[in-house]
């Protein structure tokens, strides 16, 4: 199966692929990062190479972008805010989720004019709890 591109909304791209088309999937994601597409989703069957693609993207864009690639999928919204706030250059504070999300929104608003793209790369996102 070749990498397929779907556009779930004008602001995002979904890439689905199997191991035979890793290079094409990587190329689609690279293009999205370079064009600053707000939401890129990469999915694949277990063992199809999604982890390798994410790691290679992290290595390729580490100098050009502000990136985070947590080692494990976050177990809660609070756990997810830790790498996001770090990525945004903000300290993590122990606060209720609405306050943490407001801090993230504020930090994102202040980055609108930044020349550096920002990407949070989540591996095994299907393992995220529904609250995340």
């Amino acid at each position: 199966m070749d990498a397929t591109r779907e556009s779930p909304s004008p602001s995002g791209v979904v890439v689905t692929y199997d191991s035979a088309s890793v290079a094409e999937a990587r190329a689609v994601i690279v293009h999205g990062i370079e064009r600053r597409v707000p939401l890129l989703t990469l999915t694949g069957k277990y063992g199809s190479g999604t982890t390798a693609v994410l790691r290679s993207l992290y290595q390729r864009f580490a100098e050009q972008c502000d990136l985070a690639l947590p080692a494990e999928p976050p177990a809660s919204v609070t756990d997810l805010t830790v790498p996001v706030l770090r990525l945004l250059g903000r300290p993590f504070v122990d606060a209720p989720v609405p306050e943490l999300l407001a801090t993230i929104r504020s930090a994102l608003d202040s980055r609108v004019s930044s020349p550096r793209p920002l990407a949070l790369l989540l591996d095994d996102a299907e393992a995220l709890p529904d609250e995340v």
Side-chain angles (χ1 to χ4, degrees), residues 81-95 99-100 103-104 107:
T81 62
V82 173
V84 172
L85 288 169
R86 187 175 300 132
L87 181 62
L88 293 166
R90 302 285 174 98
F92 175 77
V93 293
D94 190 15
E99 187 177 326
L100 292 170
T103 301
I104 290 170

Side-chain angles (χ1 to χ4, degrees), residues 5-90:
R5 289 172 246 179
E6 305 168 34
S7 186
S9 70
S11 63
V13 174
V14 175
V15 179
T16 304
Y17 74 101
D18 63 22
S19 57
S21 56
V22 168
E24 186 177 352
R26 185 180 299 116
V28 171
I29 297 292
V30 165
H31 181 73
I33 291 172
E34 289 171 344
R35 297 210 48 205
R36 298 180 79 147
V37 174
L39 175 65
L40 299 168
T41 305
L42 174 66
T43 62
K45 294 178 185 174
Y46 181 79
S48 64
T50 54
T51 299
V53 169
L54 289 177
R55 288 181 181 156
S56 71
L57 290 170
Y58 185 85
Q59 290 172 348
R60 175 174 177 173
F61 286 100
E63 298 297 318
Q64 305 164 11
C65 302
D66 294 326
L67 301 172
L69 178 58
E72 297 292 326
S76 68
V77 172
T78 302
D79 289 347
L80 179 60
T81 62
V82 173
V84 172
L85 288 169
R86 187 175 300 132
L87 181 62
L88 293 166
R90 302 285 174 98

